[in-house]
Amino acid sequence: MAINRCCFCFSLYQAPLIITTASAVVYGAVFVWLLVRHEVILGFFQEEPGAINPILWLLVPISGLACLYMLFGAFASLRQSQRLLKIFLAMYWAMSGTVFVLTLASWAVLLAKRNAAVSSCETYLSQVRGSRGLPGSGVFGVYDGDCERSVRNMCIVGGFIVFIGNALQFYFAFVVTTAVKNRTKATAGHQQLRDLEDHYQYPLPQQQFYYAAQPVQPMDAQKPPKTY
């Protein structure tokens, strides 16, 4: 299916730079949040550390790498380098699949360990003697310290990220791929035209000289020869 615009707003020429820049900001924010709040996240799963530790410490480097390769894609788009953009596309599709698998696994673990997460959350709050800005608190008007609602909101937001967020990411990957292919075709077409111009060298037209015709005088108008 051919597309001419991204999100019905941006042209395909602008889409790669806009998508990569916005994605770099999102992945960078996720990376920082995971680093800052990892103790709280681990507190939700004190009873199941073997389930959350591998996923958490995979999400942290993956989000950081995703931010870096999105910045690389923005640089390649600014440079309009076909070679760099093709390298970025391969990385983009590979990373999109990896992020989908990891987010789906995280959401599945959260659903499967929901009761254990609530219990671990209450234990964590008793250890820190009060509420400590739980993940999911404040969402949809929920107050800090409510473990049941915090875990429920995390399940809701996680489902949104898994299905809507990853669907958007694959759509953006398709848009960037289409934009790069269009640029490659346009570049190839221009190169073919230049090759044709170099191959067919038409000779310059020869310069022609025109001389004005001398008027012919009638016989009777010719002067008789002089006699001496």
Side-chain angles (χ1 to χ4, degrees):
M1 180 181 63
I3 58 174
N4 296 320
R5 289 188 173 274
C6 171
C7 307
F8 305 102
C9 298
F10 309 110
S11 66
L12 289 182
Y13 184 81
Q14 301 170 327
L17 180 59
I18 296 174
I19 290 174
T20 52
T21 304
S23 299
V25 173
V26 172
Y27 279 119
V30 171
F31 175 72
V32 173
W33 186 83
L34 289 174
L35 285 180
V36 173
R37 303 296 297 275
H38 74 275
E39 292 183 357
V40 180
I41 297 172
L42 293 175
F44 266 71
F45 296 91
Q46 295 183 60
E47 299 179 2
E48 299 287 344
I52 189 61
N53 281 336
I55 295 177
L56 175 63
W57 298 117
L58 278 175
L59 287 175
V60 171
I62 289 297
S63 59
L65 289 174
C67 178
L68 291 178
Y69 83 74
M70 284 299 176
L71 292 176
F72 172 77
F75 172 77
S77 182
L78 285 174
R79 290 289 304 273
Q80 297 185 7
S81 172
Q82 299 300 321
R83 184 175 63 86
L84 294 181
L85 283 172
K86 289 179 180 179
I87 295 173
F88 168 71
L89 280 180
M91 296 167 58
Y92 197 174
W93 282 105
M95 194 64 71
S96 297
T98 303
V99 170
F100 173 71
V101 171
L102 285 178
T103 53
L104 181 61
S106 303
W107 187 59
V109 169
L110 180 61
L111 292 178
K113 306 293 183 180
R114 180 174 179 176
N115 294 331
V118 174
S119 177
S120 296
C121 171
E122 294 173 350
T123 303
Y124 171 76
L125 289 182
S126 65
Q127 292 173 351
V128 299
R129 302 179 184 277
S131 62
R132 282 285 299 275
L134 302 174
S137 299
V139 182
F140 308 125
V142 179
Y143 294 101
D144 289 347
D146 192 335
C147 291
E148 179 69 31
R149 292 185 179 182
S150 295
V151 173
R152 183 193 65 185
N153 290 337
M154 288 179 65
C155 293
I156 295 174
V157 174
F160 178 84
I161 293 173
V162 169
F163 295 104
I164 306 300
N166 284 293
L168 285 175
Q169 180 160 257
F170 283 114
Y171 168 71
F172 290 153
F174 174 73
V175 169
V176 174
T177 302
T178 304
V180 173
K181 286 184 177 179
N182 288 349
R183 288 185 184 182
T184 303
K185 290 179 180 179
T187 303
H190 294 159
Q191 184 63 41
Q192 290 177 357
L193 288 176
R194 287 192 292 267
D195 293 341
L196 287 175
E197 291 176 356
D198 294 338
H199 181 71
Y200 294 101
Q201 293 291 341
Y202 295 100
L204 295 176
Q206 296 181 356
Q207 189 175 5
Q208 297 181 359
F209 298 94
Y210 298 92
Y211 300 93
Q214 297 293 331
V216 179
Q217 296 181 356
M219 295 298 294
D220 55 356
Q222 293 182 359
K223 296 181 179 181
K226 294 181 180 181
T227 58
Y228 300 95

